[in-house]
Amino acid sequence: MPRISFSSIFVSDQRRAKAFYTTILGFQLAVDRPAGDDRWLAVVSDDDPSGTQLLLEPADAATGRSRQNALFRQGIPATSFEVDDIDYEYERLVAEGVTFQSPPTDSGGVRSCILDDTCGNWIRLTEPIEEDQ
């Protein structure tokens, strides 16, 4: 059975993305090496360093820029990350100067909010809501 080893999102600036995803969001740097004129740059969750990597791919190609811009203009998240305490993360990230579309809200079994990664993407943070039995 195949498994996901990495997933990717386009970023407008790899250097800024590296700083944001590691310093602000708290991911670990998994890979950072030259790849032509750009970098092969990937981060991984701190609590699962051998888990799925998120490749921060340069949006240099017209297709990448076009897709990224279309999603951003429409307010559609490029990807989602699950957190244990969304209200804590929201407050922590606001204190770091991160911009959000709105505070966390409940919808469809999750509490979520959407942040700007400063590199051309909206990113959804989610926390599952425990249903009362």
Side-chain angles (χ1 to χ4, degrees), residues 37-85:
D37 292 336
D38 298 303
R39 314 275 313 155
W40 181 269
L41 181 61
V43 295
V44 67
S45 291
D46 190 44
D47 63 349
D48 189 11
S50 61
T52 304
Q53 295 180 11
L54 179 66
L55 177 62
L56 305 174
E57 198 163 348
D60 295 339
T63 303
R65 273 194 315 275
S66 176
R67 181 179 185 281
Q68 182 188 37
N69 290 338
L71 289 173
F72 193 84
R73 278 193 311 275
Q74 294 176 54
I76 299 171
T79 194
S80 297
F81 303 133
E82 186 175 306
V83 296
D84 293 329
D85 184 341

mmCIF file of all heavy atoms in Angstrom, residues 37-85:
data_model
loop_
_atom_site.group_PDB
_atom_site.id
_atom_site.type_symbol
_atom_site.label_atom_id
_atom_site.label_comp_id
_atom_site.label_asym_id
_atom_site.label_seq_id
_atom_site.Cartn_x
_atom_site.Cartn_y
_atom_site.Cartn_z
ATOM 1 N N ASP A 37 18.229 26.516 -9.279
ATOM 2 C CA ASP A 37 18.282 27.893 -8.783
ATOM 3 C C ASP A 37 17.552 28.067 -7.454
ATOM 4 O O ASP A 37 17.620 29.126 -6.848
ATOM 5 C CB ASP A 37 17.666 28.846 -9.807
ATOM 6 C CG ASP A 37 18.494 28.950 -11.070
ATOM 7 O OD1 ASP A 37 19.715 28.678 -11.016
ATOM 8 O OD2 ASP A 37 17.915 29.291 -12.126
ATOM 9 N N ASP A 38 16.852 27.044 -7.019
ATOM 10 C CA ASP A 38 16.056 27.117 -5.800
ATOM 11 C C ASP A 38 16.580 26.123 -4.764
ATOM 12 O O ASP A 38 17.736 25.733 -4.825
ATOM 13 C CB ASP A 38 14.583 26.828 -6.125
ATOM 14 C CG ASP A 38 14.001 27.859 -7.087
ATOM 15 O OD1 ASP A 38 14.035 29.068 -6.758
ATOM 16 O OD2 ASP A 38 13.522 27.460 -8.165
ATOM 17 N N ARG A 39 15.737 25.735 -3.820
ATOM 18 C CA ARG A 39 16.112 24.803 -2.771
ATOM 19 C C ARG A 39 15.096 23.660 -2.738
ATOM 20 O O ARG A 39 13.933 23.848 -3.074
ATOM 21 C CB ARG A 39 16.093 25.472 -1.385
ATOM 22 C CG ARG A 39 16.748 26.817 -1.279
ATOM 23 C CD ARG A 39 18.196 26.859 -1.053
ATOM 24 N NE ARG A 39 18.728 25.999 -0.028
ATOM 25 C CZ ARG A 39 20.002 25.589 -0.052
ATOM 26 N NH1 ARG A 39 20.813 25.944 -1.034
ATOM 27 N NH2 ARG A 39 20.469 24.820 0.902
ATOM 28 N N TRP A 40 15.547 22.483 -2.310
ATOM 29 C CA TRP A 40 14.639 21.419 -1.919
ATOM 30 C C TRP A 40 14.463 21.665 -0.430
ATOM 31 O O TRP A 40 15.365 21.419 0.375
ATOM 32 C CB TRP A 40 15.236 20.035 -2.195
ATOM 33 C CG TRP A 40 14.298 18.943 -1.807
ATOM 34 C CD1 TRP A 40 14.231 18.323 -0.587
ATOM 35 C CD2 TRP A 40 13.279 18.350 -2.609
ATOM 36 N NE1 TRP A 40 13.241 17.376 -0.591
ATOM 37 C CE2 TRP A 40 12.631 17.371 -1.825
ATOM 38 C CE3 TRP A 40 12.848 18.545 -3.921
ATOM 39 C CZ2 TRP A 40 11.583 16.593 -2.311
ATOM 40 C CZ3 TRP A 40 11.807 17.759 -4.393
ATOM 41 C CH2 TRP A 40 11.185 16.803 -3.592
ATOM 42 N N LEU A 41 13.324 22.230 -0.067
ATOM 43 C CA LEU A 41 13.090 22.723 1.282
ATOM 44 C C LEU A 41 11.838 22.057 1.838
ATOM 45 O O LEU A 41 10.750 22.200 1.274
ATOM 46 C CB LEU A 41 12.909 24.248 1.233
ATOM 47 C CG LEU A 41 12.668 24.998 2.518
ATOM 48 C CD1 LEU A 41 13.839 24.837 3.487
ATOM 49 C CD2 LEU A 41 12.443 26.484 2.213
ATOM 50 N N ALA A 42 12.008 21.314 2.914
ATOM 51 C CA ALA A 42 10.882 20.606 3.513
ATOM 52 C C ALA A 42 10.925 20.718 5.024
ATOM 53 O O ALA A 42 11.991 20.753 5.630
ATOM 54 C CB ALA A 42 10.892 19.139 3.096
ATOM 55 N N VAL A 43 9.735 20.774 5.616
ATOM 56 C CA VAL A 43 9.590 20.806 7.066
ATOM 57 C C VAL A 43 8.758 19.611 7.494
ATOM 58 O O VAL A 43 8.061 18.990 6.680
ATOM 59 C CB VAL A 43 8.950 22.124 7.549
ATOM 60 C CG1 VAL A 43 9.864 23.305 7.247
ATOM 61 C CG2 VAL A 43 7.564 22.330 6.949
ATOM 62 N N VAL A 44 8.824 19.305 8.782
ATOM 63 C CA VAL A 44 8.106 18.157 9.332
ATOM 64 C C VAL A 44 7.621 18.528 10.730
ATOM 65 O O VAL A 44 8.214 19.388 11.392
ATOM 66 C CB VAL A 44 9.029 16.911 9.338
ATOM 67 C CG1 VAL A 44 10.184 17.072 10.295
ATOM 68 C CG2 VAL A 44 8.257 15.650 9.601
ATOM 69 N N SER A 45 6.562 17.884 11.174
ATOM 70 C CA SER A 45 6.044 18.140 12.522
ATOM 71 C C SER A 45 7.086 17.804 13.572
ATOM 72 O O SER A 45 7.761 16.771 13.485
ATOM 73 C CB SER A 45 4.792 17.297 12.793
ATOM 74 O OG SER A 45 3.730 17.741 12.014
ATOM 75 N N ASP A 46 7.183 18.651 14.560
ATOM 76 C CA ASP A 46 8.131 18.461 15.653
ATOM 77 C C ASP A 46 7.854 17.162 16.417
ATOM 78 O O ASP A 46 8.767 16.490 16.858
ATOM 79 C CB ASP A 46 8.058 19.658 16.606
ATOM 80 C CG ASP A 46 9.160 19.672 17.624
ATOM 81 O OD1 ASP A 46 10.325 19.417 17.243
ATOM 82 O OD2 ASP A 46 8.866 19.945 18.803
ATOM 83 N N ASP A 47 6.569 16.795 16.528
ATOM 84 C CA ASP A 47 6.225 15.592 17.285
ATOM 85 C C ASP A 47 6.289 14.311 16.450
ATOM 86 O O ASP A 47 6.054 13.223 16.972
ATOM 87 C CB ASP A 47 4.853 15.729 17.943
ATOM 88 C CG ASP A 47 3.723 15.877 16.947
ATOM 89 O OD1 ASP A 47 3.983 16.077 15.755
ATOM 90 O OD2 ASP A 47 2.554 15.799 17.376
ATOM 91 N N ASP A 48 6.621 14.420 15.158
ATOM 92 C CA ASP A 48 6.752 13.238 14.304
ATOM 93 C C ASP A 48 7.834 13.492 13.247
ATOM 94 O O ASP A 48 7.550 13.597 12.058
ATOM 95 C CB ASP A 48 5.416 12.915 13.636
ATOM 96 C CG ASP A 48 5.428 11.581 12.907
ATOM 97 O OD1 ASP A 48 6.401 10.804 13.083
ATOM 98 O OD2 ASP A 48 4.466 11.312 12.163
ATOM 99 N N PRO A 49 9.107 13.597 13.676
ATOM 100 C CA PRO A 49 10.179 13.980 12.761
ATOM 101 C C PRO A 49 10.419 13.017 11.602
ATOM 102 O O PRO A 49 11.018 13.400 10.604
ATOM 103 C CB PRO A 49 11.423 14.083 13.650
ATOM 104 C CG PRO A 49 11.052 13.526 14.962
ATOM 105 C CD PRO A 49 9.569 13.423 15.041
ATOM 106 N N SER A 50 9.927 11.794 11.698
ATOM 107 C CA SER A 50 10.080 10.872 10.569
ATOM 108 C C SER A 50 8.783 10.764 9.763
ATOM 109 O O SER A 50 8.679 9.930 8.872
ATOM 110 C CB SER A 50 10.526 9.493 11.056
ATOM 111 O OG SER A 50 9.552 8.950 11.920
ATOM 112 N N GLY A 51 7.828 11.638 10.067
ATOM 113 C CA GLY A 51 6.532 11.611 9.394
ATOM 114 C C GLY A 51 6.531 12.332 8.054
ATOM 115 O O GLY A 51 7.579 12.635 7.480
ATOM 116 N N THR A 52 5.340 12.604 7.577
ATOM 117 C CA THR A 52 5.143 13.263 6.290
ATOM 118 C C THR A 52 5.808 14.635 6.280
ATOM 119 O O THR A 52 5.632 15.428 7.197
ATOM 120 C CB THR A 52 3.635 13.414 5.993
ATOM 121 O OG1 THR A 52 3.027 12.129 6.051
ATOM 122 C CG2 THR A 52 3.410 14.036 4.630
ATOM 123 N N GLN A 53 6.571 14.890 5.224
ATOM 124 C CA GLN A 53 7.235 16.179 5.069
ATOM 125 C C GLN A 53 6.374 17.109 4.216
ATOM 126 O O GLN A 53 5.685 16.665 3.301
ATOM 127 C CB GLN A 53 8.588 16.009 4.385
ATOM 128 C CG GLN A 53 9.574 15.215 5.191
ATOM 129 C CD GLN A 53 10.907 15.053 4.479
ATOM 130 O OE1 GLN A 53 11.172 15.684 3.470
ATOM 131 N NE2 GLN A 53 11.752 14.197 5.014
ATOM 132 N N LEU A 54 6.438 18.393 4.530
ATOM 133 C CA LEU A 54 5.774 19.416 3.729
ATOM 134 C C LEU A 54 6.842 20.132 2.920
ATOM 135 O O LEU A 54 7.708 20.813 3.483
ATOM 136 C CB LEU A 54 5.023 20.410 4.609
ATOM 137 C CG LEU A 54 4.311 21.538 3.857
ATOM 138 C CD1 LEU A 54 3.173 20.978 2.993
ATOM 139 C CD2 LEU A 54 3.786 22.574 4.832
ATOM 140 N N LEU A 55 6.801 19.939 1.609
ATOM 141 C CA LEU A 55 7.756 20.580 0.708
ATOM 142 C C LEU A 55 7.294 22.001 0.432
ATOM 143 O O LEU A 55 6.164 22.231 0.027
ATOM 144 C CB LEU A 55 7.848 19.785 -0.602
ATOM 145 C CG LEU A 55 8.742 20.342 -1.693
ATOM 146 C CD1 LEU A 55 10.189 20.423 -1.233
ATOM 147 C CD2 LEU A 55 8.627 19.471 -2.946
ATOM 148 N N LEU A 56 8.171 22.968 0.681
ATOM 149 C CA LEU A 56 7.895 24.382 0.423
ATOM 150 C C LEU A 56 8.470 24.702 -0.955
ATOM 151 O O LEU A 56 9.629 25.083 -1.089
ATOM 152 C CB LEU A 56 8.499 25.246 1.528
ATOM 153 C CG LEU A 56 8.052 24.868 2.947
ATOM 154 C CD1 LEU A 56 8.810 25.679 3.990
ATOM 155 C CD2 LEU A 56 6.552 25.015 3.113
ATOM 156 N N GLU A 57 7.641 24.510 -1.949
ATOM 157 C CA GLU A 57 8.069 24.535 -3.342
ATOM 158 C C GLU A 57 7.994 25.944 -3.931
ATOM 159 O O GLU A 57 6.989 26.631 -3.762
ATOM 160 C CB GLU A 57 7.160 23.592 -4.130
ATOM 161 C CG GLU A 57 7.717 23.182 -5.434
ATOM 162 C CD GLU A 57 7.015 21.954 -5.987
ATOM 163 O OE1 GLU A 57 6.257 21.289 -5.272
ATOM 164 O OE2 GLU A 57 7.258 21.681 -7.164
ATOM 165 N N PRO A 58 9.037 26.381 -4.640
ATOM 166 C CA PRO A 58 9.010 27.728 -5.212
ATOM 167 C C PRO A 58 7.907 27.859 -6.265
ATOM 168 O O PRO A 58 7.729 26.985 -7.104
ATOM 169 C CB PRO A 58 10.390 27.895 -5.839
ATOM 170 C CG PRO A 58 10.916 26.519 -6.022
ATOM 171 C CD PRO A 58 10.265 25.660 -4.985
ATOM 172 N N ALA A 59 7.174 28.961 -6.190
ATOM 173 C CA ALA A 59 6.075 29.216 -7.128
ATOM 174 C C ALA A 59 6.583 29.965 -8.349
ATOM 175 O O ALA A 59 5.931 30.869 -8.850
ATOM 176 C CB ALA A 59 4.964 29.995 -6.428
ATOM 177 N N ASP A 60 7.752 29.580 -8.850
ATOM 178 C CA ASP A 60 8.352 30.271 -9.992
ATOM 179 C C ASP A 60 7.641 29.976 -11.305
ATOM 180 O O ASP A 60 7.481 30.849 -12.140
ATOM 181 C CB ASP A 60 9.835 29.903 -10.125
ATOM 182 C CG ASP A 60 10.646 30.389 -8.936
ATOM 183 O OD1 ASP A 60 10.190 31.313 -8.233
ATOM 184 O OD2 ASP A 60 11.735 29.841 -8.718
ATOM 185 N N ALA A 61 7.221 28.754 -11.495
ATOM 186 C CA ALA A 61 6.563 28.383 -12.748
ATOM 187 C C ALA A 61 5.209 29.074 -12.829
ATOM 188 O O ALA A 61 4.523 29.265 -11.827
ATOM 189 C CB ALA A 61 6.392 26.869 -12.819
ATOM 190 N N ALA A 62 4.823 29.450 -14.034
ATOM 191 C CA ALA A 62 3.561 30.153 -14.236
ATOM 192 C C ALA A 62 2.378 29.373 -13.665
ATOM 193 O O ALA A 62 1.472 29.947 -13.060
ATOM 194 C CB ALA A 62 3.349 30.431 -15.721
ATOM 195 N N THR A 63 2.385 28.064 -13.817
ATOM 196 C CA THR A 63 1.292 27.242 -13.307
ATOM 197 C C THR A 63 1.213 27.328 -11.788
ATOM 198 O O THR A 63 0.134 27.462 -11.215
ATOM 199 C CB THR A 63 1.469 25.771 -13.738
ATOM 200 O OG1 THR A 63 1.537 25.729 -15.153
ATOM 201 C CG2 THR A 63 0.336 24.915 -13.243
ATOM 202 N N GLY A 64 2.362 27.257 -11.123
ATOM 203 C CA GLY A 64 2.398 27.355 -9.667
ATOM 204 C C GLY A 64 1.909 28.701 -9.171
ATOM 205 O O GLY A 64 1.085 28.770 -8.249
ATOM 206 N N ARG A 65 2.370 29.769 -9.781
ATOM 207 C CA ARG A 65 1.939 31.122 -9.394
ATOM 208 C C ARG A 65 0.452 31.303 -9.632
ATOM 209 O O ARG A 65 -0.264 31.862 -8.808
ATOM 210 C CB ARG A 65 2.717 32.176 -10.171
ATOM 211 C CG ARG A 65 4.018 32.573 -9.541
ATOM 212 C CD ARG A 65 4.589 33.845 -10.153
ATOM 213 N NE ARG A 65 4.543 33.865 -11.595
ATOM 214 C CZ ARG A 65 5.467 33.318 -12.406
ATOM 215 N NH1 ARG A 65 6.498 32.706 -11.891
ATOM 216 N NH2 ARG A 65 5.342 33.383 -13.723
ATOM 217 N N SER A 66 -0.023 30.831 -10.775
ATOM 218 C CA SER A 66 -1.433 30.990 -11.121
ATOM 219 C C SER A 66 -2.331 30.268 -10.123
ATOM 220 O O SER A 66 -3.318 30.823 -9.633
ATOM 221 C CB SER A 66 -1.664 30.459 -12.539
ATOM 222 O OG SER A 66 -3.021 30.514 -12.856
ATOM 223 N N ARG A 67 -1.982 29.016 -9.808
ATOM 224 C CA ARG A 67 -2.784 28.236 -8.852
ATOM 225 C C ARG A 67 -2.746 28.878 -7.478
ATOM 226 O O ARG A 67 -3.773 29.040 -6.814
ATOM 227 C CB ARG A 67 -2.259 26.802 -8.779
ATOM 228 C CG ARG A 67 -3.047 25.928 -7.833
ATOM 229 C CD ARG A 67 -2.504 24.491 -7.814
ATOM 230 N NE ARG A 67 -3.313 23.625 -7.010
ATOM 231 C CZ ARG A 67 -3.284 23.563 -5.688
ATOM 232 N NH1 ARG A 67 -2.469 24.341 -5.003
ATOM 233 N NH2 ARG A 67 -4.065 22.718 -5.022
ATOM 234 N N GLN A 68 -1.551 29.251 -7.031
ATOM 235 C CA GLN A 68 -1.399 29.853 -5.715
ATOM 236 C C GLN A 68 -2.206 31.157 -5.623
ATOM 237 O O GLN A 68 -2.930 31.378 -4.656
ATOM 238 C CB GLN A 68 0.083 30.122 -5.428
ATOM 239 C CG GLN A 68 0.328 30.698 -4.053
ATOM 240 C CD GLN A 68 1.767 31.128 -3.849
ATOM 241 O OE1 GLN A 68 2.402 31.629 -4.768
ATOM 242 N NE2 GLN A 68 2.274 30.931 -2.655
ATOM 243 N N ASN A 69 -2.089 32.018 -6.621
ATOM 244 C CA ASN A 69 -2.803 33.291 -6.614
ATOM 245 C C ASN A 69 -4.316 33.101 -6.634
ATOM 246 O O ASN A 69 -5.044 33.819 -5.949
ATOM 247 C CB ASN A 69 -2.367 34.161 -7.794
ATOM 248 C CG ASN A 69 -0.946 34.674 -7.640
ATOM 249 O OD1 ASN A 69 -0.408 34.742 -6.543
ATOM 250 N ND2 ASN A 69 -0.333 35.016 -8.755
ATOM 251 N N ALA A 70 -4.795 32.141 -7.417
ATOM 252 C CA ALA A 70 -6.237 31.887 -7.496
ATOM 253 C C ALA A 70 -6.779 31.441 -6.138
ATOM 254 O O ALA A 70 -7.828 31.930 -5.686
ATOM 255 C CB ALA A 70 -6.534 30.846 -8.570
ATOM 256 N N LEU A 71 -6.102 30.509 -5.485
ATOM 257 C CA LEU A 71 -6.542 30.051 -4.168
ATOM 258 C C LEU A 71 -6.530 31.198 -3.155
ATOM 259 O O LEU A 71 -7.482 31.378 -2.387
ATOM 260 C CB LEU A 71 -5.644 28.914 -3.662
ATOM 261 C CG LEU A 71 -5.774 27.571 -4.361
ATOM 262 C CD1 LEU A 71 -4.706 26.601 -3.851
ATOM 263 C CD2 LEU A 71 -7.158 26.989 -4.179
ATOM 264 N N PHE A 72 -5.467 31.990 -3.166
ATOM 265 C CA PHE A 72 -5.338 33.073 -2.193
ATOM 266 C C PHE A 72 -6.435 34.115 -2.389
ATOM 267 O O PHE A 72 -7.070 34.547 -1.433
ATOM 268 C CB PHE A 72 -3.944 33.718 -2.286
ATOM 269 C CG PHE A 72 -3.644 34.615 -1.117
ATOM 270 C CD1 PHE A 72 -3.140 34.084 0.062
ATOM 271 C CD2 PHE A 72 -3.861 35.976 -1.187
ATOM 272 C CE1 PHE A 72 -2.858 34.892 1.159
ATOM 273 C CE2 PHE A 72 -3.586 36.801 -0.102
ATOM 274 C CZ PHE A 72 -3.080 36.254 1.067
ATOM 275 N N ARG A 73 -6.671 34.517 -3.644
ATOM 276 C CA ARG A 73 -7.709 35.523 -3.940
ATOM 277 C C ARG A 73 -9.086 35.061 -3.472
ATOM 278 O O ARG A 73 -9.903 35.866 -3.040
ATOM 279 C CB ARG A 73 -7.767 35.837 -5.430
ATOM 280 C CG ARG A 73 -6.731 36.830 -5.905
ATOM 281 C CD ARG A 73 -7.016 37.336 -7.312
ATOM 282 N NE ARG A 73 -7.301 36.277 -8.270
ATOM 283 C CZ ARG A 73 -6.374 35.588 -8.953
ATOM 284 N NH1 ARG A 73 -5.100 35.868 -8.780
ATOM 285 N NH2 ARG A 73 -6.719 34.658 -9.806
ATOM 286 N N GLN A 74 -9.334 33.776 -3.570
ATOM 287 C CA GLN A 74 -10.644 33.237 -3.184
ATOM 288 C C GLN A 74 -10.723 32.891 -1.687
ATOM 289 O O GLN A 74 -11.761 32.455 -1.209
ATOM 290 C CB GLN A 74 -10.961 31.995 -4.012
ATOM 291 C CG GLN A 74 -11.142 32.313 -5.490
ATOM 292 C CD GLN A 74 -11.359 31.056 -6.301
ATOM 293 O OE1 GLN A 74 -12.244 30.266 -5.995
ATOM 294 N NE2 GLN A 74 -10.546 30.865 -7.330
ATOM 295 N N GLY A 75 -9.606 33.065 -0.973
ATOM 296 C CA GLY A 75 -9.593 32.771 0.455
ATOM 297 C C GLY A 75 -9.582 31.296 0.771
ATOM 298 O O GLY A 75 -9.946 30.885 1.869
ATOM 299 N N ILE A 76 -9.138 30.475 -0.186
ATOM 300 C CA ILE A 76 -9.125 29.021 -0.017
ATOM 301 C C ILE A 76 -7.771 28.578 0.535
ATOM 302 O O ILE A 76 -6.734 28.885 -0.045
ATOM 303 C CB ILE A 76 -9.406 28.320 -1.365
ATOM 304 C CG1 ILE A 76 -10.790 28.723 -1.886
ATOM 305 C CG2 ILE A 76 -9.276 26.808 -1.224
ATOM 306 C CD1 ILE A 76 -11.072 28.263 -3.299
ATOM 307 N N PRO A 77 -7.771 27.824 1.636
ATOM 308 C CA PRO A 77 -6.509 27.345 2.194
ATOM 309 C C PRO A 77 -5.774 26.385 1.247
ATOM 310 O O PRO A 77 -6.400 25.539 0.599
ATOM 311 C CB PRO A 77 -6.925 26.611 3.466
ATOM 312 C CG PRO A 77 -8.267 27.155 3.803
ATOM 313 C CD PRO A 77 -8.909 27.476 2.493
ATOM 314 N N ALA A 78 -4.467 26.524 1.191
ATOM 315 C CA ALA A 78 -3.632 25.633 0.389
ATOM 316 C C ALA A 78 -3.478 24.280 1.066
ATOM 317 O O ALA A 78 -3.307 23.263 0.395
ATOM 318 C CB ALA A 78 -2.254 26.258 0.157
ATOM 319 N N THR A 79 -3.548 24.262 2.390
ATOM 320 C CA THR A 79 -3.459 23.021 3.156
ATOM 321 C C THR A 79 -3.993 23.270 4.560
ATOM 322 O O THR A 79 -4.312 24.413 4.920
ATOM 323 C CB THR A 79 -1.998 22.480 3.198
ATOM 324 O OG1 THR A 79 -1.994 21.138 3.650
ATOM 325 C CG2 THR A 79 -1.100 23.345 4.049
ATOM 326 N N SER A 80 -4.081 22.211 5.350
ATOM 327 C CA SER A 80 -4.564 22.312 6.729
ATOM 328 C C SER A 80 -3.617 21.590 7.669
ATOM 329 O O SER A 80 -3.023 20.578 7.303
ATOM 330 C CB SER A 80 -5.951 21.661 6.859
ATOM 331 O OG SER A 80 -6.894 22.332 6.080
ATOM 332 N N PHE A 81 -3.521 22.118 8.882
ATOM 333 C CA PHE A 81 -2.731 21.497 9.934
ATOM 334 C C PHE A 81 -3.624 21.323 11.157
ATOM 335 O O PHE A 81 -4.382 22.224 11.507
ATOM 336 C CB PHE A 81 -1.533 22.372 10.331
ATOM 337 C CG PHE A 81 -0.610 22.715 9.199
ATOM 338 C CD1 PHE A 81 -0.186 24.017 9.018
ATOM 339 C CD2 PHE A 81 -0.153 21.745 8.319
ATOM 340 C CE1 PHE A 81 0.678 24.348 7.986
ATOM 341 C CE2 PHE A 81 0.708 22.066 7.283
ATOM 342 C CZ PHE A 81 1.126 23.373 7.118
ATOM 343 N N GLU A 82 -3.505 20.171 11.811
ATOM 344 C CA GLU A 82 -4.269 19.927 13.031
ATOM 345 C C GLU A 82 -3.437 20.346 14.234
ATOM 346 O O GLU A 82 -2.231 20.100 14.286
ATOM 347 C CB GLU A 82 -4.628 18.447 13.138
ATOM 348 C CG GLU A 82 -5.543 18.146 14.305
ATOM 349 C CD GLU A 82 -5.994 16.703 14.330
ATOM 350 O OE1 GLU A 82 -6.542 16.219 13.316
ATOM 351 O OE2 GLU A 82 -5.788 16.056 15.386
ATOM 352 N N VAL A 83 -4.096 20.966 15.199
ATOM 353 C CA VAL A 83 -3.448 21.372 16.447
ATOM 354 C C VAL A 83 -4.244 20.807 17.625
ATOM 355 O O VAL A 83 -5.419 20.463 17.483
ATOM 356 C CB VAL A 83 -3.327 22.911 16.561
ATOM 357 C CG1 VAL A 83 -2.430 23.472 15.463
ATOM 358 C CG2 VAL A 83 -4.688 23.584 16.535
ATOM 359 N N ASP A 84 -3.608 20.716 18.779
ATOM 360 C CA ASP A 84 -4.276 20.190 19.972
ATOM 361 C C ASP A 84 -5.176 21.217 20.632
ATOM 362 O O ASP A 84 -6.208 20.869 21.205
ATOM 363 C CB ASP A 84 -3.244 19.693 20.995
ATOM 364 C CG ASP A 84 -2.486 18.480 20.508
ATOM 365 O OD1 ASP A 84 -3.066 17.683 19.743
ATOM 366 O OD2 ASP A 84 -1.308 18.338 20.876
ATOM 367 N N ASP A 85 -4.785 22.495 20.593
ATOM 368 C CA ASP A 85 -5.551 23.567 21.250
ATOM 369 C C ASP A 85 -5.547 24.788 20.335
ATOM 370 O O ASP A 85 -4.610 25.588 20.353
ATOM 371 C CB ASP A 85 -4.921 23.886 22.604
ATOM 372 C CG ASP A 85 -5.690 24.918 23.401
ATOM 373 O OD1 ASP A 85 -6.500 25.676 22.815
ATOM 374 O OD2 ASP A 85 -5.476 24.986 24.627
#
